[in-house]
Amino acid sequence: MVSISAICCIEKTMYKGDHRTFRLTVTDQSSAVVDLTGCGLVFTVKMNPTQEDPDIQKSTSEGGIDIVDPTHGIAEIGLVPDDTSDLETGAYMFDAS
């Protein structure tokens, strides 16, 4: 069993109501690509890293994340206008696990 955890420290500008797809390549601690065959992923967005409930959450099981090339560790995370339309303006942190 492989444990996957990634905190993305990438600055992206996005506006309320945007539709955006992020492509993510999952790697392990030695930067080797992780085979995602049979894996599930969760993506969360929070304004404050200590808040309990995320402002946005997507997953392979609930929708919003597609593993598009499992053997090469590639997944796509889709955000639709409803995901961002009610968010306050500001900086948010996101992570995938």
Side-chain angles (χ1 to χ4, degrees):
M1 185 166 133
V2 175
S3 176
I4 301 169
S5 182
I7 297 176
C8 303
C9 299
I10 300 167
E11 191 172 318
K12 294 282 184 185
T13 300
M14 192 168 175
Y15 298 96
K16 289 183 180 189
D18 273 1
H19 181 272
R20 182 77 55 95
T21 300
F22 295 99
R23 183 168 273 224
L24 173 72
T25 301
V26 179
T27 58
D28 64 17
Q29 293 172 333
S30 64
S31 297
V33 171
V34 174
D35 185 342
L36 297 176
T37 303
C39 290
L41 296 174
V42 176
F43 171 82
T44 59
V45 176
K46 295 179 179 182
M47 183 174 255
N48 181 336
T50 61
Q51 75 188 61
E52 193 168 315
D53 296 322
D55 295 297
I56 300 171
Q57 182 169 309
K58 301 288 182 170
S59 69
T60 49
S61 63
E62 299 292 323
I65 299 180
D66 293 316
I67 298 176
V68 295
D69 188 348
T71 58
H72 292 103
I74 300 173
E76 289 184 343
I77 302 162
L79 297 179
V80 296
D82 283 347
D83 293 326
T84 60
S85 62
D86 292 332
L87 295 180
E88 294 179 35
T89 300
Y92 288 80
M93 300 179 72
F94 60 96
D95 66 60
S97 59

